[in-house]
Amino acid sequence: MAQRHVRARLKSTLHGSAQNPANPAVIKALVEKYWTNQRFRQKPVRYKWFWPYWVDSDFNIDNHFIVHNEPYNQIKLEALLVTFLTTPFSLDKPMWELHCFTHYDFTDNGEKFQGTLILMRFHHCMMDGITCLKVVLKATERITQPPEPKRGNRPKISKLSSVLKIPKTIGYLLTLREDDESPLHSQSFPAPNTPITVRYSRNSVSLPLVKKVAHASGCTVNDVMLAGCAGALNDFLAAVPKDGNQIDWNKKVEQISAAIWVSLIPLNLQKDGPVKWGNFLGTVMTKLPVNCSDHGERLKLINQQVKALIGSPEPLISSFLFRLFGLLPFGLCRPLWQKIAYKMTASISSIPGPSWQLSYAGQAVDRIVCVMPPAGNIGVFLTIFSYYDKVTFCVSGDTRLIEDTLTIVENIDKNIKDTARALGCL
């Protein structure tokens, strides 16, 4: 093959941290049992202009399971994540790795922990985040039992109404106007090997607090988390220097376009079934109000926008367009994809993890983090992962625009707490 490496999007999933060190031999045994069949043994092949396809490879677990015995903390790990997210996988073998860090020190809300960290790195063409989560869960045990599912009053959606929206939605997606230049968005594409920044929560956010805010405001948990993200981006724009004749970006940028990823397969983490390999994802486009400093008003605006998307055929249509692009020759697909896909400022992925506590290799899992790199000229990628009683945020960005995303990720937590105070929940 002429092309030996692939630089498409990849995802690294941090699979929790135990308070006591786990045995790497036990972890390797779990990997061999659960993560060495089907797609884990295959590699993609592209022959000239034909569509890529999967073939079995000469599989060796030692090429994929890596143990790190040196001490790591969060800062050192984030630097390694940048390397992982900017280093292409080889097409000569299956595109995944599992890294075991035997000495990992971290602090969560003032409490210090030391234990084992498991990091799974894989290429997005293998599977999406929900599929990865289901694969991970197969190798875990439950410490606490899942709560009884609550039956909410879901709004009734007219199928005819959704069908009638299809032509308008297709036209909207194909003619979407690109966001203006701002400290969060560049209309030019980054040069190859442009550095990125990756940071995730120093302090996990309390999921019960998020639910309390949602209940008090009449919004959803997802609305509260999106409002926290919008507030953090508002703070970022407000902090941009305004010396001399520089623009006050906090007033100029009223809202930004954000693509929110939506899973197209039913999510039932309690039911163990066969894994569907591939990507079953669509997107909905929304606007995040980033010039609104009133926490309650910001939450209300986001709730209104999300409600307007209920019943929209946008996720199905965007997924169809993704697959259609995938059928095109690479030389034609890439420029078309760049022209249509990278018009927004932010990309947001929210994964609802297990609501019960897990153990892995005999140790309790403290938290789970999902990490994604920036792609194209999208300035900010935000990933949200809820697990047990915690929510962890990760923000990765284009260093041409954002030197360090640490302030943004810390301000998400701050904005959620400020919203809770404004509503009398804290």
Side-chain angles (χ1 to χ4, degrees):
M1 287 181 288
Q3 185 182 8
R4 305 306 295 175
H5 296 86
V6 60
R7 286 187 177 273
R9 287 174 61 197
L10 58 92
K11 181 183 290 185
S12 294
T13 300
L14 182 65
H15 172 200
S17 313
Q19 285 185 260
N20 300 302
N23 188 339
V26 175
I27 295 174
K28 184 176 182 180
L30 287 172
V31 173
E32 290 179 308
K33 181 178 180 180
Y34 292 102
W35 297 347
T36 57
N37 53 13
Q38 298 173 304
R39 189 58 53 84
F40 287 99
R41 289 180 173 269
Q42 295 178 322
K43 62 181 182 181
V45 173
R46 176 188 286 120
Y47 179 71
K48 294 184 178 179
W49 287 84
F50 291 93
W51 304 320
Y53 55 94
W54 294 96
V55 298
D56 291 333
S57 67
D58 295 327
F59 181 79
N60 183 346
I61 185 63
D62 292 328
N63 292 331
H64 301 271
F65 181 75
I66 300 101
V67 177
H68 303 259
N69 289 316
E70 64 271 29
Y72 267 81
N73 57 24
Q74 186 162 339
I75 295 174
K76 188 175 179 180
L77 181 71
E78 286 168 335
L80 184 63
L81 284 173
V82 169
T83 301
F84 283 161
L85 294 171
T86 53
T87 302
F89 280 102
S90 170
L91 286 173
D92 294 331
K93 60 183 182 180
M95 294 191 292
W96 68 275
E97 296 171 351
L98 192 137
H99 296 258
C100 172
F101 298 83
T102 57
H103 297 88
Y104 180 65
D105 298 316
F106 69 103
T107 303
D108 190 359
N109 289 301
E111 189 175 357
K112 293 185 178 181
F113 295 91
Q114 184 181 65
T116 302
L117 180 137
I118 307 299
L119 188 145
M120 185 178 181
R121 176 188 180 220
F122 66 94
H123 197 281
H124 215 310
C125 68
M126 285 183 61
M127 53 187 162
D128 56 36
I130 297 298
T131 303
C132 173
L133 178 57
K134 290 184 174 181
V135 170
V136 168
L137 289 180
K138 286 180 177 293
T140 63
E141 300 289 339
R142 293 177 181 177
I143 294 178
T144 61
Q145 292 303 310
E148 288 293 327
K150 295 181 180 180
R151 296 185 178 274
N153 295 321
R154 292 188 177 183
K156 293 183 179 179
I157 300 171
S158 168
K159 292 184 179 179
L160 177 60
S161 174
S162 296
V163 170
L164 293 176
K165 291 178 181 177
I166 290 177
K168 182 179 178 181
T169 303
I170 293 176
Y172 167 72
L173 291 174
L174 293 179
T175 60
L176 191 66
R177 179 180 174 275
E178 183 173 0
D179 280 357
D180 293 330
E181 292 263 357
S182 78
L184 291 169
H185 179 73
S186 171
Q187 293 185 344
S188 63
F189 282 78
N193 302 317
T194 297
I196 66 171
T197 169
V198 177
R199 298 287 192 172
Y200 63 91
S201 302
R202 265 61 184 157
N203 300 311
S204 56
V205 177
S206 166
L207 184 56
L209 177 63
V210 173
K211 291 179 177 179
K212 192 175 180 181
V213 173
H215 179 74
S217 62
C219 299
T220 67
V221 166
N222 221 40
D223 293 339
V224 176
M225 294 189 292
L226 287 176
C229 295
L233 296 177
N234 171 75
D235 294 342
F236 173 81
L237 290 173
V240 174
K242 305 176 187 63
D243 299 333
N245 296 320
Q246 287 190 350
I247 298 171
D248 187 344
W249 289 106
N250 201 226
K251 293 180 179 179
K252 181 178 176 61
V253 183
E254 295 186 2
Q255 55 187 14
I256 60 171
S257 298
I260 300 177
W261 292 89
V262 178
S263 176
L264 300 179
I265 57 177
L267 178 62
N268 187 347
L269 299 180
Q270 297 188 38
K271 186 177 180 181
D272 188 16
V275 174
K276 292 185 177 181
W277 298 103
N279 285 267
F280 302 92
L281 297 169
T283 60
V284 291
M285 296 299 301
T286 189
K287 299 289 186 180
L288 293 183
V290 293
N291 71 334
C292 179
S293 57
D294 185 284
H295 299 287
E297 181 65 20
R298 184 192 303 129
L299 181 55
K300 181 181 177 181
L301 290 171
I302 288 177
N303 175 255
Q304 290 172 347
Q305 291 211 41
V306 173
K307 275 186 176 179
L309 293 171
I310 294 175
S312 169
E314 201 172 319
L316 286 172
I317 293 172
S318 58
S319 178
F320 171 77
L321 291 175
F322 295 156
R323 294 180 184 276
L324 185 63
F325 278 123
L327 296 176
L328 297 175
F330 185 75
L332 180 61
C333 170
R334 188 170 182 83
L336 281 175
W337 180 258
Q338 290 182 346
K339 185 175 180 61
I340 294 174
Y342 297 131
K343 296 184 177 181
M344 69 289 296
T345 294
S347 175
I348 303 174
S349 179
S350 180
I351 301 177
S355 54
W356 56 94
Q357 191 172 20
L358 303 172
S359 69
Y360 183 81
Q363 301 297 330
V365 176
D366 180 75
R367 61 173 168 166
I368 303 175
V369 183
C370 183
V371 185
M372 293 180 68
N377 63 335
I378 300 175
V380 186
F381 269 69
L382 300 111
T383 53
I384 307 166
F385 199 104
S386 60
Y387 159 65
Y388 191 35
D389 59 352
K390 299 178 179 180
V391 183
T392 306
F393 294 85
C394 179
V395 184
S396 56
D398 181 345
T399 54
R400 296 178 306 159
L401 302 167
I402 308 168
E403 185 176 349
D404 192 343
T405 53
L406 179 59
T407 302
I408 295 176
V409 78
E410 288 180 337
N411 281 339
I412 295 174
D413 176 33
K414 174 182 173 294
N415 274 273
I416 291 176
K417 289 179 179 177
D418 287 346
T419 303
R421 292 187 186 95
L423 295 174
C425 299
L426 190 65

